[in-house]
């Protein structure tokens, strides 16, 4: 990592007031910009979903944990999006088809088991991805090196809950298995090649499957047997095609910002 | 205070007379008078214990119910920076709830017991959270006024006679002061923003000002618990004294904000060296306390729903822990 890269990564998220005053110019371009933005969208959309849990968690410790994970992801999103333009313009002024997050992260929270299954699938993926990005040494390496520590905690949290729910009561076992099954069809997309990233995503799938399988089996659950993508939509999120609930997520997230064009907050 | 809870050990050290009720009471009184902290294993009068449980539980409940009106805006925050700040704040409140339930547990009541009482409507939380957050500016008004009032109330609690409560409050007050500043800064940005933003900020201050003044509790001559709590040094200043301190702090801040406090009687009194303020509508306070505030039912219902929806999760965690223990044994 060069000094320029270091200072760029440090400056990107840490100048909160400046965003409103003057629009940040993208520091990336072309496929690298698109790839960084897609990862930023993943983090932003999942942070938005997890933020819905605040005050609604099954136990106070989880109000703290889920909000904390949401905050980490929001921080990652701000760094990544700032590398590709103005973070608020990107978050609040793009329409559905302009977001390139994977469909997995936009799936509604469901019950706690659905949220945990989504966390398990995504955090294991994100940890492998950020580890590879940090090793790769490109523009995203400083962010990845920092974020991988956060994500390791997210993964641990998801694993612990998968074990508790899978190997807890009959009801929790049933709910956890249903959640794993229901979200399985969104996992294939994570490993579609992403041009400009410099990481071989398809190659990460095997390790992802090994890790997820180990946790799932330890939790006395089974790896889903269905397809890991929907018939017509594999990789669709990365191409700007989303599921129905995503429009409502954006409507809620964007309405206030859009209601006051040009205002500073 | 150094009395131990084991009668045998203490008797051996201090002789038989030390454990008569009178001797214990005298030792407790001396400790309070000398500003020595009372610790969980120390002897304390039952009424002191139950006053603390009531107050600390109410405080803990307020933190977790207080997450609701602000979490209401997490998904709609108008910039990513504001979203991050608000998430951090709501997370802090959950954390404060945790410290305070833990501190209350040192008095021999479990968190589950306290939550059951909250859910059954048998313990209170601060009435301020029975008001709605109708606009984004309300997040700022809560930070500036509600957290500001809370800090005014809570800073003296850092010197409260009960050790675990006092120590929890030191940490909580540090975070609350960040909350207050972010609220002020949020309102300042709105007040200096577009006309619509300024109007939103003024409207929020209009709605939150009087309920914030009510947060200090009834006037001193009508306050049910005040005198005894002052004698025990759980409470250090009277309700009216703290309310006046808060008003005196807010008036110049409102001027800098460019916002008007909704009280035509608010003016500097040279003689008293304080701001005079208008009469508070205590009938509103009593109505909200009786359960007729705008959001009483909604807040408690939401809390119960979160708890009920989470029961299978807590059962699973308990079952998993029990299996794991058995496997290890």
């Amino acid at each position: 990592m060069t000094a320029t890269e270091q200072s760029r990564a440090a400056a990107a998220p840490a100048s909160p007031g400046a965003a409103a005053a003057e629009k940040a110019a993208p520091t990336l371009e072309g496929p690298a910009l698109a790839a960084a933005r897609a990862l930023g969208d993943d983090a932003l959309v999942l942070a938005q979903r997890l933020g819905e849990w605040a005050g609604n968690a099954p136990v106070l410790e989880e109000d703290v944990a889920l909000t904390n994970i949401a905050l980490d992801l929001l921080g990652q999103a701000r760094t990544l999006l700032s590398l590709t333009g103005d973070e608020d313009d990107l978050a609040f002024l793009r329409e559905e088809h302009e977001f390139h997050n994977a469909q997995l992260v936009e799936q509604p929270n469901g019950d706690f088991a659905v949220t945990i299954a989504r966390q398990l699938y995504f955090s294991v993926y994100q940890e492998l991805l950020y580890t590879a990005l940090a090793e790769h040494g490109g523009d995203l390496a400083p962010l990845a090196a920092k974020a991988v520590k956060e994500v390791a905690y997210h993964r641990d949290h998801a694993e612990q809950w998968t074990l508790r729910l899978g190997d807890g009561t009959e009801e929790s076992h049933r709910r956890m298995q249903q959640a794993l099954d229901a979200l399985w069809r969104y996992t294939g997309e994570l490993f579609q090649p992403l041009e400009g990233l410099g990481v071989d995503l398809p190659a990460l799938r095997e390790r992802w499957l090994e890790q997820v399988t180990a946790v799932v089996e330890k939790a006395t659950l089974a790896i889903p047997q269905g397809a890991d993508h929907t018939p017509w939509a594999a990789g669709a999120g990365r191409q700007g095609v989303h599921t129905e609930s995503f429009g409502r997520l954006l409507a809620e997230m964007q309405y206030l910002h859009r209601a006051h064009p040009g205002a500073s907050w | 205070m150094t009395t131990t809870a084991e009668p045998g050990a203490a008797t051996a050290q201090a002789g038989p007379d030390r454990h008569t009720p009178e001797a214990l009471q005298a030792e407790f009184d001396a400790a309070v008078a000398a500003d020595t902290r009372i610790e969980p294993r120390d002897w304390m009068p039952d009424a002191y214990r139950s006053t603390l449980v009531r107050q600390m539980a109410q405080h803990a409940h307020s933190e977790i119910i207080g997450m609701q009106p602000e979490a209401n805006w997490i998904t709609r925050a108008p910039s990513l920076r504001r979203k991050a700040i608000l998430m951090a704040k709501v997370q802090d409140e959950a954390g404060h709830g945790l410290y305070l339930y833990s501190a209350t547990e040192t008095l021999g009541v479990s968190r589950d017991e306290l939550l059951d009482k909250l859910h059954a409507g048998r313990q209170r939380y601060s009435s301020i959270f029975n008001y709605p957050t109708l606009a984004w500016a309300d997040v700022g008004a809560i930070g500036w006024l509600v957290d500001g009032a809370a800090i005014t109330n809570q800073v003296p609690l850092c010197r409260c006679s009960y050790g675990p409560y006092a120590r929890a409050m030191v940490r909580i007050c540090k975070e609350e002061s960040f909350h207050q500043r972010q609220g002020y800064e949020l309102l300042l940005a709105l007040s200096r923003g577009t006309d619509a933003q300024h109007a939103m900020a003024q409207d929020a201050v209009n709605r939150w000002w009087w309920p914030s003044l009510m947060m200090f509790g009834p006037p001193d001559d009508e306050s049910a618990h005040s005198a005894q709590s002052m004698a025990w040094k759980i409470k250090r200043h009277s309700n009216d004294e703290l309310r006046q301190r808060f008003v005196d702090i807010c008036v110049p801040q409102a001027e800098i904000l460019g916002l008007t406090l909704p009280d035509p009687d608010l003016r500097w009194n040279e003689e008293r060296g304080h701001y005079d303020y208008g009469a508070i509508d205590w009938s509103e306070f009593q109505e909200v306390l009786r359960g007729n505030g705008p959001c009483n039912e909604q807040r408690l219902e939401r809390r119960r729903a979160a708890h009920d929806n989470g029961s299978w999760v807590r059962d699973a965690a308990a079952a998993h822990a029990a299996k794991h223990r058995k496997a290890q044994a």
Side-chain angles (χ1 to χ4, degrees):
Chain A
M1 181 169 63
T2 66
T4 318
E5 282 167 335
Q6 261 174 344
S7 64
R8 185 192 293 162
S15 51
E22 51 189 80
K23 303 286 185 192
T27 46
L28 299 177
E29 54 188 20
L33 180 147
R37 195 175 281 178
L39 300 189
D41 288 348
D42 279 349
L44 174 63
V45 171
L46 188 54
Q48 177 75 5
R49 279 291 184 223
L50 290 172
E52 295 170 14
W53 271 107
N56 295 309
V59 59
L60 198 46
E61 283 79 355
E62 286 306 300
D63 279 307
V64 177
L66 293 173
T67 316
N68 193 36
I69 294 170
L71 255 179
D72 287 345
L73 289 165
L74 184 56
Q76 294 166 19
R78 295 182 65 195
T79 304
L80 285 161
L81 293 178
S82 296
L83 290 169
T84 78
D86 180 81
E87 60 173 25
D88 285 336
D89 283 359
L90 290 167
F92 296 102
L93 299 177
R94 279 183 298 161
E95 295 184 22
E96 286 94 317
H97 68 274
E98 295 171 288
F99 278 80
H100 288 185
N101 56 282
Q103 291 182 351
L104 175 67
V105 295
E106 75 202 33
Q107 296 310 308
N109 287 338
D111 65 9
F112 190 68
V114 172
T115 292
I116 292 302
R118 193 181 57 199
Q119 284 303 112
L120 179 70
Y121 290 156
F122 188 72
S123 62
V124 172
Y125 159 77
Q126 226 189 5
E127 191 180 17
L128 290 170
L129 169 61
Y130 282 165
T131 303
L133 277 172
E135 285 165 3
H136 171 65
D139 288 301
L140 303 185
L143 157 90
K146 175 173 176 282
V148 77
K149 293 175 199 146
E150 300 166 352
V151 172
Y153 161 76
H154 305 173
R155 196 247 313 131
D156 185 53
H157 173 262
E159 283 183 5
Q160 295 304 318
W161 273 110
T162 303
L163 295 177
R164 288 187 195 110
L165 298 182
D167 191 18
T169 64
E170 249 173 69
E171 182 185 5
S172 68
H173 180 89
R174 176 178 53 77
R175 286 180 186 251
M176 193 62 213
Q177 187 64 58
Q178 276 174 356
L180 291 171
D181 292 348
L183 293 178
W184 186 251
R185 66 204 316 234
Y186 300 107
T187 58
E189 182 185 0
L190 300 173
F191 303 99
Q192 299 283 318
L194 199 50
E195 197 196 343
L197 198 59
V199 166
D200 182 2
L201 278 171
L204 295 181
R205 187 172 187 280
E206 199 178 328
R207 278 164 67 201
W208 177 86
L209 188 60
E210 268 170 35
Q211 284 193 32
V212 170
T213 303
V215 181
V216 164
E217 288 180 353
K218 192 175 173 197
T220 73
L221 297 158
I223 284 289
Q225 292 306 306
D228 67 358
H229 56 272
T230 55
W232 58 275
R238 295 278 186 242
Q239 291 143 28
V241 178
H242 295 279
T243 50
E244 283 189 344
S245 67
F246 187 57
R248 286 190 294 277
L249 177 147
L250 285 193
E252 185 171 344
M253 182 169 87
Q254 296 182 338
Y255 103 90
L256 181 59
H257 185 95
R258 285 179 181 264
H260 298 264
S264 298
W265 299 96
Chain B
M1 195 174 175
T2 51
T3 321
T4 69
E6 290 98 44
T11 307
Q13 288 164 14
D17 288 341
R18 198 153 162 234
H19 286 87
T20 63
E22 295 75 19
L24 289 166
Q25 179 74 49
E27 193 173 349
F28 172 84
D29 291 343
V32 171
D35 277 332
T36 309
R37 288 270 162 80
I38 309 297
E39 295 298 338
R41 288 159 63 91
D42 294 337
W43 182 90
M44 61 187 83
D46 289 344
Y48 176 83
R49 185 186 298 273
S50 62
T51 296
L52 279 170
V53 170
R54 178 180 55 76
Q55 181 172 334
M56 291 165 70
Q58 172 168 338
H59 194 165
H61 297 331
S62 301
E63 296 284 355
I64 65 167
I65 296 279
M67 293 166 72
Q68 288 183 34
E70 296 188 273
N72 184 34
W73 283 94
I74 285 180
T75 56
R76 296 177 289 170
S79 73
L80 295 186
R81 173 177 174 253
R82 292 289 175 198
K83 192 190 288 287
I85 292 171
L86 184 56
M87 272 186 184
K89 179 173 195 283
V90 172
Q91 189 201 7
D92 281 351
E93 277 149 18
H96 296 173
L98 279 177
Y99 317 148
L100 286 163
Y101 284 121
S102 300
T104 315
E105 285 184 327
T106 64
L107 293 162
V109 274
S110 71
R111 196 206 304 181
D112 286 346
E113 237 174 293
L114 297 171
L115 284 175
D116 286 346
K117 285 185 176 160
L118 169 67
H119 297 152
R122 285 164 49 215
Q123 278 180 344
R124 293 185 189 283
Y125 55 89
S126 175
S127 273
I128 194 76
F129 300 118
N130 290 318
Y131 290 88
T133 47
L134 302 178
W136 168 250
D138 290 37
V139 172
I142 288 188
W144 179 42
L145 296 173
V146 174
D147 293 327
I151 294 168
T152 311
N153 266 329
Q154 290 171 2
V155 165
L157 287 175
C158 299
R159 294 186 297 119
C160 154
S161 57
Y162 187 56
Y165 193 24
R167 288 188 288 273
M169 290 317 302
V170 170
R171 190 158 164 192
I172 289 173
C173 283
K174 280 185 194 154
E175 293 179 345
E176 289 293 349
S177 100
F178 154 74
H179 296 173
Q180 199 262 352
R181 281 203 304 275
Q182 69 80 33
Y184 184 83
E185 193 253 334
L186 190 162
L187 283 179
L188 191 64
L190 292 180
S191 180
R192 295 180 177 174
T194 64
D195 290 350
Q197 286 177 306
H198 181 87
M200 192 197 291
Q202 183 61 57
D203 177 59
V205 168
N206 291 349
R207 284 182 287 107
W208 288 94
W209 172 248
W210 290 106
S212 301
L213 290 190
M214 295 177 201
M215 283 176 70
F216 296 93
D220 294 342
D221 47 8
E222 292 165 29
S223 177
H225 305 292
S226 280
Q228 182 60 71
S229 288
M230 299 267 282
W232 278 331
K233 296 188 182 169
I234 294 174
K235 204 176 158 104
R236 295 272 180 171
H237 305 278
S238 81
N239 294 352
D240 287 328
E241 213 178 320
L242 291 170
R243 189 166 15 244
Q244 181 70 60
R245 189 179 292 177
F246 177 67
V247 171
D248 291 347
I249 291 169
C250 285
V251 175
Q253 290 181 346
E255 279 167 21
I256 299 169
L257 281 174
L259 297 171
T260 309
L261 296 172
D263 178 359
D265 297 327
L266 202 56
R267 62 181 57 86
W268 179 250
N269 182 325
E270 194 65 55
E271 206 172 307
R272 291 200 310 124
H274 290 292
Y275 284 92
D276 290 338
Y277 53 94
I280 294 171
D281 178 5
W282 290 108
S283 64
E284 176 181 317
F285 178 75
Q286 294 301 340
E287 274 300 300
V288 179
L289 214 56
R290 268 196 289 271
N292 300 324
C295 300
N296 296 56
E297 279 181 38
Q298 171 190 332
R299 298 283 186 248
L300 210 50
E301 194 45 52
R302 173 82 173 276
R303 180 89 268 293
R304 285 192 201 112
H307 192 74
D308 293 348
N309 291 339
S311 68
W312 70 271
V313 177
R314 296 190 300 276
D315 290 348
H320 181 265
K323 282 184 204 176
H324 199 65
R325 264 197 305 275
K326 217 181 286 173
Q328 275 189 333

